[in-house]
Amino acid sequence: MSRHNYNEEKIIAKKKYIMEIAKEIFFKKGYENTSMNEIAKQAKMAKGTIYLYFSSKKDLFFSLVYEGLEILEKMIKNNIKSGEKGLDKILNMGRAYIQFYREYPDYYSFVIKYESEKADLDTNEPLVLNSYEKSEEIYDILKLLILKGIDDGSIREDIDINKTSMLLWLQTIGVVQQYELRKKLYENWDEKFPSSSILDFYIDFMEKSLKK
Amino acid sequence: MSRHNYNEEKIIAKKKYIMEIAKEIFFKKGYENTSMNEIAKQAKMAKGTIYLYFSSKKDLFFSLVYEGLEILEKMIKNNIKSGEKGLDKILNMGRAYIQFYREYPDYYSFVIKYESEKADLDTNEPLVLNSYEKSEEIYDILKLLILKGIDDGSIREDIDINKTSMLLWLQTIGVVQQYELRKKLYENWDEKFPSSSILDFYIDFMEKSLKK
Amino acid sequence: MSRHNYNEEKIIAKKKYIMEIAKEIFFKKGYENTSMNEIAKQAKMAKGTIYLYFSSKKDLFFSLVYEGLEILEKMIKNNIKSGEKGLDKILNMGRAYIQFYREYPDYYSFVIKYESEKADLDTNEPLVLNSYEKSEEIYDILKLLILKGIDDGSIREDIDINKTSMLLWLQTIGVVQQYELRKKLYENWDEKFPSSSILDFYIDFMEKSLKK
Amino acid sequence: MSRHNYNEEKIIAKKKYIMEIAKEIFFKKGYENTSMNEIAKQAKMAKGTIYLYFSSKKDLFFSLVYEGLEILEKMIKNNIKSGEKGLDKILNMGRAYIQFYREYPDYYSFVIKYESEKADLDTNEPLVLNSYEKSEEIYDILKLLILKGIDDGSIREDIDINKTSMLLWLQTIGVVQQYELRKKLYENWDEKFPSSSILDFYIDFMEKSLKK
DNA sequence: TATGAATGAGTCTTCATTCAT
DNA sequence: AATGAATGAAGACTCATTCAT
């Protein structure tokens, strides 16, 4: 292994280390209320050092977002392997998103924050591009699965494929996000709130509206 | 009309004027990126003057939120008057929310911003309380309408009322919010994106999953 | 009575009224932490109205100071009437100052605040002049009383009259002020502190150092 | 010397430098009328830089107060070493306070400002606590010295120890403060005023009232 | 005489980023 | 590669005073 690679590895390791520290703080306090000062202190590094590895606070944050997107993508691709019929695969896709939310609440929060602001971001940022491509890819998968579902008789034929795929996409993300929002709110209010099982119920609900 | 009322009217008019100016800037730049300085400048007023009418930046913003909530409430209550069966009324309720989003995109954005942060807000703030109560009220209406729908035979009987009402609530808000997010994103990318009609499609979709 | 006088009386009454309101607030919150806004509100007047009667916040405050000085002067002049010998009169003068502090803690606080800042005040202010003259007058009385005391044999002869009179003056004001300061401090700390009787003890102490 | 110590020294030096600048301005203009802006400008630093060394304006000011208290404490402890009898030591203690006032008029002004406001300060502040403890310590010394004086026959026996110690304490601080106040006032008025020697006279006066 | 809305300079404090070492 | 001191623009908010009505 060349010296160059050796150094590159060290750099990547350091980046991972910083990201690990930052992940916790960003998750706990949110983007705006996290200062580079605190990250540096927690990481026992000089503030300037962080800037050797990340060009800005945004860059550091979006690297975490990107990592989150990768995890999500992997989970989705993995989940749609199982299930035979198109409908099963679609439901598994929804389950994958819910699973991501449950298992990686920190990464989930970054992805959502990113999603809600990326419309205002600089179009030249490669991270926006990447995320956009990932979204498209997932969306295309969804479309194919609906087609397959109609073909194998697991999904009704009277639906518009384009609209349905888009709607399912919007709906799933939306339901999970709203659940997260309400959950925090109701917790504060010490009130009863349907447990996380409502998300499973959502999958049932989806099934009912799609199946033949 | 007494002199006192005359002055009060003038004060209310000025508040409205400031809110009008602030509404545009908040809408364009978001809460954090809007400074009182800019609002004052746009309103051709001294900074201090604004503080005569609103005790803080938060107060000014939440006044807009509250106004938005009032509009939304009115639209929902108005819309569910029409329709005979429970299912019709539920669909009209969803339509009201979409209509609010379409007709008052600015107010909509404040309400959403508020909703996504109210979990972190001070519970003692009367505005949080008010909004909370409004939400509960709307949610209760939804529950009653489902009951009515089951009763009058317009809605299937095999659903859990509590879960369904909560899910419809999360889902509708979620779909609209995700639509808004994606729309802005795709617009930037000059791509084709299912027009706003997808929201109408959502209502159809909802109908299918509820009706007997 | 001429119309002019009638109006003047009304003006004086209004000034008194405003001063009464302001006295309480200044006493409770201190000069810096009292705003004209609050005074106006408490007095159920418009802010501008106060400026018809007092040219500034300072003017209003110093009018209270001046009133305090008048009360103090009257008490001193009254007290030194009683007592036969020079020493008795001097002690009564000290007692008058302590009595002023005890009976008019609010006016006392204004006088002290004024005294500690008048060195930095504009020399052209007539109020500084007045106070200065009052101080001189009192100081002269003190000097005469010492002379009389030496003459009638109630006070030792081995003291320097100028220095002693000045010292008694500084000392009495100083002791009372420090007592007030410490008292508040110790109260906060819930500790035992020699009661106000220490001020009477001070008079005894003074007597011992002066008498033949 | 390690690198670490080297940096720490530099930081301390910078703190001292800022305090030196601030000391002058605070002394000249008082706490309220001194702005961080001006301190930064005088120190030829960016405003933010000062906040690297002091967490707030209060912190900066109280650091000066604390330094003053340390100097005063040292002077008192040093002065009471000399003198044989209890009375001599007490007089030297008074002289120490006067010396502090004469040699460090700036620090003296901070200490007095602090003393006059500490009753209103937050009891949780460690600086208030420290100062309180210092005061108590000095006061205890005074009490012991009076006891010693009575014991060794240099002080009269007919005095109440508690009251006397408290009174001497109040009196000394009071006299010096009043002297400072009057001095500034009379200076402005270009009048003759007993020179600083009146403070020495105060010590004589004290001696006379205490000795057997 | 009375009003009270309007002013705007001034306050302390924060923090992402840079750069000399 | 690493440091961390320095920057300085920007933020929300206050308040004595004025002046048109």
Side-chain angles (χ1 to χ4, degrees):
Chain A
M1 191 176 285
S2 72
R3 172 126 199 275
H4 178 259
N5 279 342
Y6 171 67
N7 278 342
E8 216 156 66
E9 265 174 31
K10 262 179 51 182
I11 288 173
I12 289 171
K14 206 117 190 185
K15 286 187 88 164
K16 284 277 175 205
Y17 169 69
I18 295 171
M19 284 168 72
E20 204 60 39
I21 302 284
K23 189 175 71 176
E24 280 175 37
I25 306 177
F26 277 135
F27 182 49
K28 200 162 53 190
K29 312 186 120 193
Y31 180 79
E32 274 83 10
N33 295 320
T34 297
S35 72
M36 293 300 267
N37 228 335
E38 188 173 359
I39 294 172
K41 216 150 91 183
Q42 290 281 344
K44 287 175 218 278
M45 275 175 178
K47 234 185 302 187
T49 309
I50 293 176
Y51 280 88
L52 292 178
Y53 296 92
F54 299 93
S55 67
S56 69
K57 186 183 174 185
K58 251 187 179 141
D59 183 25
L60 172 53
F61 182 76
F62 286 157
S63 300
L64 285 164
V65 171
Y66 191 70
E67 219 170 59
L69 285 170
E70 282 180 328
I71 293 172
L72 171 59
E73 188 187 26
K74 210 181 292 172
M75 288 180 85
I76 288 179
K77 288 195 171 160
N78 210 46
N79 264 37
I80 58 173
K81 279 183 202 152
S82 61
E84 205 169 334
K85 305 256 177 160
L87 180 55
D88 298 332
K89 283 176 184 292
I90 286 176
L91 299 182
N92 281 335
M93 200 168 158
R95 288 189 186 104
Y97 192 79
I98 291 169
Q99 189 187 344
F100 173 64
Y101 162 68
R102 283 176 175 150
E103 290 183 10
Y104 301 93
D106 39 16
Y107 281 119
Y108 170 80
S109 77
F110 300 153
V111 169
I112 279 298
K113 164 87 177 168
Y114 176 50
E115 295 279 324
S116 33
E117 296 196 355
K118 75 178 166 190
D120 304 322
L121 292 176
D122 185 4
T123 320
N124 298 320
E125 295 237 26
L127 280 160
V128 178
L129 237 141
N130 280 326
S131 137
Y132 172 75
E133 281 162 6
K134 276 207 168 60
S135 293
E136 277 302 284
E137 206 180 326
I138 293 170
Y139 176 61
D140 284 345
I141 293 172
L142 193 52
K143 231 156 143 182
L144 284 173
L145 291 181
I146 293 177
L147 263 174
K148 177 175 159 50
I150 294 178
D151 196 54
D152 66 22
S154 57
I155 292 180
R156 330 197 287 259
E157 297 127 345
D158 64 328
I159 55 164
D160 178 292
I161 293 171
N162 282 316
K163 283 185 174 173
T164 303
S165 53
M166 178 55 71
L167 182 59
L168 287 179
W169 191 220
L170 299 181
Q171 201 171 254
T172 305
I173 297 177
V175 163
V176 174
Q177 188 186 358
Q178 286 302 315
Y179 173 75
E180 167 67 10
L181 246 46
R182 306 285 152 182
K183 189 195 67 176
K184 282 206 298 181
L185 179 64
Y186 282 68
E187 268 169 6
N188 280 356
W189 281 84
D190 292 326
E191 302 255 341
K192 259 169 286 173
F193 182 71
S195 73
S196 163
S197 71
I198 190 119
L199 296 177
D200 304 308
F201 179 69
Y202 165 65
I203 300 293
D204 295 347
F205 204 76
M206 199 162 91
E207 184 178 11
K208 274 176 196 148
S209 34
L210 287 175
K211 82 168 163 208
K212 208 161 182 172
Chain B
M1 191 171 289
S2 72
R3 174 124 196 272
H4 179 258
N5 280 343
Y6 172 66
N7 278 341
E8 215 155 70
E9 266 173 31
K10 261 176 55 180
I11 288 173
I12 289 170
K14 206 106 186 191
K15 283 189 90 162
K16 286 272 175 211
Y17 168 69
I18 294 170
M19 283 169 74
E20 207 59 41
I21 303 280
K23 191 173 70 177
E24 280 176 37
I25 305 178
F26 277 136
F27 183 49
K28 200 163 52 190
K29 312 187 121 195
Y31 180 79
E32 276 82 10
N33 296 317
T34 297
S35 75
M36 294 300 268
N37 235 333
E38 185 172 359
I39 295 173
K41 216 148 95 182
Q42 289 284 341
K44 286 175 220 280
M45 276 174 178
K47 223 182 317 182
T49 308
I50 292 176
Y51 282 90
L52 289 179
Y53 296 91
F54 299 92
S55 65
S56 67
K57 185 183 173 183
K58 248 186 181 142
D59 183 26
L60 173 51
F61 182 75
F62 285 160
S63 299
L64 286 164
V65 171
Y66 191 73
E67 218 169 62
L69 284 170
E70 283 181 327
I71 294 172
L72 172 59
E73 188 187 27
K74 208 180 294 172
M75 288 179 87
I76 287 179
K77 288 197 171 158
N78 209 46
N79 265 38
I80 59 173
K81 277 183 205 152
S82 60
E84 204 169 334
K85 304 257 176 161
L87 180 56
D88 298 331
K89 283 177 185 292
I90 285 175
L91 300 182
N92 281 335
M93 199 169 158
R95 287 188 188 104
Y97 191 79
I98 292 168
Q99 189 188 344
F100 173 64
Y101 160 70
R102 282 177 176 146
E103 291 184 10
Y104 301 94
D106 38 17
Y107 282 120
Y108 169 80
S109 76
F110 300 151
V111 169
I112 280 297
K113 162 87 177 168
Y114 177 50
E115 294 280 323
S116 29
E117 297 197 353
K118 78 177 161 187
D120 304 321
L121 291 176
D122 187 4
T123 320
N124 297 320
E125 296 238 25
L127 280 160
V128 177
L129 242 140
N130 279 328
S131 136
Y132 174 76
E133 281 162 6
K134 273 205 170 65
S135 293
E136 278 302 284
E137 204 181 328
I138 293 171
Y139 177 61
D140 284 343
I141 294 173
L142 191 53
K143 231 154 140 183
L144 284 173
L145 292 181
I146 292 177
L147 262 173
K148 176 174 160 51
I150 293 177
D151 196 54
D152 66 21
S154 57
I155 292 180
R156 324 198 291 259
E157 297 128 344
D158 65 328
I159 54 164
D160 178 293
I161 293 171
N162 283 315
K163 282 186 175 173
T164 304
S165 54
M166 178 54 72
L167 183 60
L168 287 178
W169 190 222
L170 299 181
Q171 201 171 257
T172 306
I173 297 177
V175 163
V176 173
Q177 188 186 357
Q178 287 302 315
Y179 172 76
E180 166 67 9
L181 248 44
R182 307 284 151 184
K183 187 198 68 178
K184 282 206 296 181
L185 179 65
Y186 284 68
E187 266 170 6
N188 281 355
W189 281 87
D190 291 327
E191 300 258 339
K192 257 170 287 172
F193 182 73
S195 74
S196 163
S197 70
I198 189 115
L199 295 177
D200 304 307
F201 179 67
Y202 166 66
I203 300 293
D204 296 347
F205 204 75
M206 199 161 90
E207 184 177 13
K208 275 174 196 151
S209 34
L210 287 174
K211 84 169 160 208
K212 206 162 184 170
Chain C
M1 191 173 288
S2 72
R3 173 128 197 274
H4 179 258
N5 279 344
Y6 172 68
N7 276 343
E8 216 156 69
E9 264 173 33
K10 260 177 53 181
I11 287 173
I12 288 170
K14 207 115 189 187
K15 284 187 90 162
K16 286 274 174 208
Y17 169 69
I18 295 170
M19 283 168 71
E20 204 60 40
I21 303 283
K23 189 174 71 175
E24 280 175 37
I25 305 176
F26 277 135
F27 182 51
K28 201 162 53 188
K29 312 187 121 194
Y31 180 79
E32 274 84 10
N33 296 318
T34 298
S35 71
M36 294 300 268
N37 228 336
E38 189 173 357
I39 295 173
K41 216 149 90 182
Q42 289 284 341
K44 287 172 218 272
M45 276 175 176
K47 235 183 304 187
T49 309
I50 293 177
Y51 280 88
L52 292 178
Y53 296 91
F54 299 92
S55 67
S56 68
K57 186 184 174 184
K58 253 188 179 140
D59 183 26
L60 172 51
F61 181 76
F62 286 157
S63 300
L64 285 164
V65 171
Y66 191 70
E67 219 169 60
L69 284 170
E70 283 180 328
I71 293 172
L72 172 59
E73 188 187 26
K74 208 180 293 171
M75 287 178 86
I76 286 178
K77 288 196 172 159
N78 208 46
N79 264 38
I80 57 173
K81 278 184 204 151
S82 59
E84 205 170 332
K85 304 256 175 161
L87 181 55
D88 298 331
K89 284 178 184 291
I90 285 174
L91 299 181
N92 281 336
M93 199 170 160
R95 288 189 187 103
Y97 191 78
I98 291 168
Q99 189 187 345
F100 173 64
Y101 161 68
R102 283 176 175 147
E103 292 183 8
Y104 299 94
D106 39 15
Y107 281 120
Y108 169 80
S109 76
F110 300 152
V111 169
I112 279 296
K113 163 89 177 166
Y114 176 51
E115 294 280 323
S116 32
E117 297 197 355
K118 75 178 164 189
D120 304 322
L121 293 176
D122 186 3
T123 321
N124 298 320
E125 295 238 25
L127 279 161
V128 178
L129 238 140
N130 280 326
S131 138
Y132 174 74
E133 281 163 6
K134 273 208 169 57
S135 292
E136 278 302 284
E137 204 179 329
I138 293 170
Y139 176 61
D140 284 344
I141 292 173
L142 193 51
K143 232 154 137 183
L144 284 173
L145 291 181
I146 292 176
L147 261 174
K148 175 173 161 50
I150 293 176
D151 195 52
D152 65 20
S154 57
I155 292 179
R156 326 199 286 262
E157 297 128 344
D158 64 328
I159 54 165
D160 178 292
I161 293 171
N162 282 317
K163 283 186 176 172
T164 303
S165 54
M166 179 52 72
L167 182 60
L168 287 179
W169 191 222
L170 299 181
Q171 202 172 256
T172 306
I173 297 176
V175 163
V176 173
Q177 189 187 355
Q178 286 301 316
Y179 173 77
E180 167 68 9
L181 246 46
R182 306 284 151 180
K183 189 195 67 176
K184 282 205 297 180
L185 180 63
Y186 282 67
E187 267 169 4
N188 280 357
W189 281 85
D190 291 328
E191 302 254 343
K192 259 168 285 174
F193 182 72
S195 74
S196 165
S197 70
I198 190 117
L199 296 177
D200 305 307
F201 178 69
Y202 166 64
I203 301 292
D204 297 345
F205 204 75
M206 200 161 90
E207 184 177 11
K208 274 175 197 152
S209 33
L210 288 176
K211 83 170 162 205
K212 207 163 186 170
Chain D
M1 193 172 287
S2 73
R3 174 125 196 271
H4 180 258
N5 280 342
Y6 173 66
N7 277 341
E8 217 156 67
E9 266 173 31
K10 263 177 54 180
I11 288 173
I12 289 171
K14 205 106 186 191
K15 283 189 90 163
K16 286 273 174 209
Y17 169 69
I18 294 172
M19 283 168 74
E20 206 59 40
I21 303 281
K23 191 173 71 176
E24 281 175 36
I25 305 178
F26 277 136
F27 182 49
K28 200 162 53 189
K29 312 186 123 195
Y31 180 80
E32 276 83 11
N33 296 319
T34 297
S35 74
M36 293 301 267
N37 235 335
E38 186 172 0
I39 295 173
K41 217 151 94 183
Q42 289 285 340
K44 286 175 218 287
M45 276 174 180
K47 226 181 313 184
T49 307
I50 292 176
Y51 281 89
L52 290 179
Y53 296 91
F54 299 93
S55 66
S56 68
K57 186 183 174 184
K58 251 190 179 137
D59 183 25
L60 173 51
F61 182 75
F62 284 160
S63 298
L64 286 164
V65 170
Y66 191 71
E67 221 170 59
L69 284 171
E70 282 181 327
I71 294 172
L72 171 59
E73 189 187 25
K74 209 181 293 171
M75 289 180 86
I76 286 179
K77 288 196 172 160
N78 209 47
N79 265 37
I80 58 173
K81 278 185 205 151
S82 60
E84 206 170 330
K85 305 256 177 164
L87 181 56
D88 297 332
K89 282 176 184 294
I90 287 175
L91 299 183
N92 281 335
M93 201 168 157
R95 288 189 187 105
Y97 192 78
I98 292 168
Q99 189 188 342
F100 173 65
Y101 162 68
R102 282 177 175 148
E103 291 183 10
Y104 301 94
D106 38 18
Y107 281 119
Y108 169 81
S109 77
F110 300 151
V111 169
I112 280 296
K113 163 87 176 167
Y114 177 51
E115 294 280 324
S116 33
E117 296 196 354
K118 76 177 161 187
D120 304 322
L121 291 176
D122 186 4
T123 319
N124 297 320
E125 296 238 25
L127 280 159
V128 177
L129 241 141
N130 280 328
S131 135
Y132 174 74
E133 281 162 5
K134 274 206 170 64
S135 294
E136 277 302 283
E137 206 180 327
I138 294 170
Y139 176 61
D140 284 343
I141 293 172
L142 192 52
K143 232 156 142 180
L144 284 173
L145 293 181
I146 293 176
L147 261 174
K148 178 176 158 51
I150 293 177
D151 195 54
D152 66 19
S154 56
I155 292 179
R156 326 199 288 262
E157 297 128 344
D158 64 328
I159 55 164
D160 177 292
I161 293 171
N162 282 316
K163 283 187 175 171
T164 305
S165 53
M166 179 53 73
L167 183 60
L168 289 179
W169 191 220
L170 299 180
Q171 202 171 256
T172 306
I173 297 176
V175 163
V176 173
Q177 189 185 358
Q178 287 302 316
Y179 172 76
E180 166 67 9
L181 248 46
R182 306 286 151 181
K183 187 198 69 177
K184 283 207 294 182
L185 179 64
Y186 283 68
E187 268 170 4
N188 280 356
W189 282 86
D190 292 326
E191 299 260 340
K192 256 169 289 171
F193 182 70
S195 73
S196 161
S197 70
I198 189 117
L199 296 177
D200 303 308
F201 179 68
Y202 166 64
I203 300 293
D204 296 347
F205 204 74
M206 198 161 90
E207 186 179 11
K208 275 176 196 147
S209 34
L210 287 175
K211 83 168 161 208
K212 209 162 183 171

